Amino acid sequence: MTETTPPQITQKLHVHTWWFTAALIAINVSLFGWQILTGVDITDPSPVDAIAWGADFTPLTFLGQPERLFSSMFFHFGMIHLMLNMWALYIFGSIAEQLFGRRYYIALYFLAGLMGSVLSSYLSILDGYQLLQHFDPKYLPKISAGASGAVMGLGAALTIISVLPMLPRQRFLLDKKSLLLIMAINLIFGFTVSGINNAAHIGGMLMGAVLATAWYLSQKTGKKIMFQLGAVLIATLLLYGFYVYCTALGQTLHPLWYEILIQNKLN
């Protein structure tokens, strides 16, 4: 991914052009350091610690703590998890922030992350109904966290822009083959490797793809404000509607969730 006019090899060193991405990385790393100082395991945080630091756990999230859908974006399960996500955030974010513009980039990042969290919760709720019918540990709600949903949203957004005809004044020439390969590998790993929250990845990618398409149309038509504000508003309403639907869908599971919380002493 390089700038087309003019090419500047050292562009990424100019942090002022992608300072919000740098701030996100700093916040994630600082929080991780703080967690370690308070006794959280640096390689394999315990479930109790993960929940205490805001990880997403469907019974808690949908029994009065919806903020976990957001806070879970800033907790990581160990050093490797953090490093992989922060490296990807640097690669995708430093480009996306300059390409889309900071305000649209911020909206895209958080909407993608939240969509990943809600889609993950939706599948957890469906698993809860399976658990009501017959007990199987694989249907128990899982703890999820990490910035990967938001990061995958950025990756999907850049991929969409790379496959569409290049805009007349597009700042970066995106490597379509590399982006497609990266996104495909992540999806394959998500479907084949246990422990990866592929629902969060897919949710983030879908939101990133939709918002990137809207941004492209805003540039193509020249109606930037109308398309971009409209896209963010519609995406926010759809996300909220999906969350409300999940809340209603999960009401039948409240007794089960309370029992799980009591048994695990998490209430």
Side-chain angles (χ1 to χ4, degrees):
M1 292 175 282
T2 58
E3 282 198 273
T4 57
T5 55
Q8 298 178 21
I9 296 174
T10 60
Q11 178 65 30
K12 285 190 178 182
L13 298 178
H14 301 163
V15 179
H16 68 277
T17 61
W18 50 279
W19 66 261
F20 191 80
T21 299
L24 283 173
I25 294 172
I27 290 170
N28 277 278
V29 172
S30 297
L31 283 173
F32 186 78
W34 186 10
Q35 292 155 16
I36 301 309
L37 290 175
T38 60
V40 177
D41 193 295
I42 193 171
T43 58
D44 187 22
S46 69
V48 173
D49 284 335
I51 289 174
W53 282 92
D56 183 19
F57 187 56
T58 301
L60 286 174
T61 300
F62 285 87
L63 286 175
Q65 299 180 24
E67 65 275 6
R68 289 183 178 275
L69 296 170
F70 178 82
S71 62
S72 61
M73 295 166 60
F74 294 91
F75 180 85
H76 289 86
F77 292 104
M79 179 67 79
I80 294 177
H81 188 206
L82 174 74
M83 289 175 63
L84 289 174
N85 275 342
M86 292 306 99
W87 176 246
L89 177 54
Y90 164 70
I91 295 297
F92 293 147
S94 59
I95 299 298
E97 185 171 348
Q98 298 175 72
L99 178 64
F100 296 117
R102 187 161 294 122
R103 292 179 182 178
Y104 198 77
Y105 166 78
I106 291 172
L108 192 157
Y109 180 86
F110 286 113
L111 285 171
L114 288 171
M115 179 56 80
S117 296
V118 177
L119 182 59
S120 176
S121 294
Y122 170 70
L123 294 183
S124 182
I125 291 170
L126 294 185
D127 283 345
Y129 279 96
Q130 293 292 329
L131 195 62
L132 283 177
Q133 297 178 18
H134 54 87
F135 179 80
D136 189 327
K138 72 179 181 180
Y139 294 126
L140 286 169
K142 299 174 180 60
I143 300 170
S144 60
S148 56
V151 172
M152 290 292 281
L154 297 180
L158 292 177
T159 303
I160 290 295
I161 301 302
S162 74
V163 300
L164 292 171
M166 191 168 180
L167 295 166
R169 292 191 293 272
Q170 186 169 307
R171 185 172 185 180
F172 290 93
L173 176 63
L174 303 174
D175 189 337
K176 177 174 63 177
K177 291 183 179 179
S178 295
L179 285 166
L180 287 170
L181 181 62
I182 290 170
M183 304 311 290
I185 289 174
N186 274 279
L187 282 176
I188 292 170
F189 266 94
F191 282 116
T192 58
V193 178
S194 62
I196 296 178
N197 188 352
N198 211 30
H201 291 183
I202 294 172
M205 289 172 66
L206 290 173
M207 181 63 79
V210 168
L211 289 175
T213 302
W215 177 87
Y216 182 87
L217 291 174
S218 77
Q219 305 298 309
K220 197 77 172 175
T221 62
K223 300 178 180 179
K224 298 180 182 180
I225 296 178
M226 183 181 74
F227 266 91
Q228 293 180 23
L229 284 178
V232 171
L233 178 59
I234 292 172
T236 301
L237 290 174
L238 288 174
L239 175 62
Y240 179 71
F242 189 24
Y243 167 75
V244 171
Y245 171 74
C246 289
T247 301
L249 186 64
Q251 287 183 348
T252 305
L253 299 174
H254 285 191
L256 173 65
W257 286 344
Y258 279 120
E259 183 179 346
I260 290 172
L261 293 175
I262 291 172
Q263 289 181 352
N264 290 275
K265 300 179 181 180
L266 296 173
N267 59 326

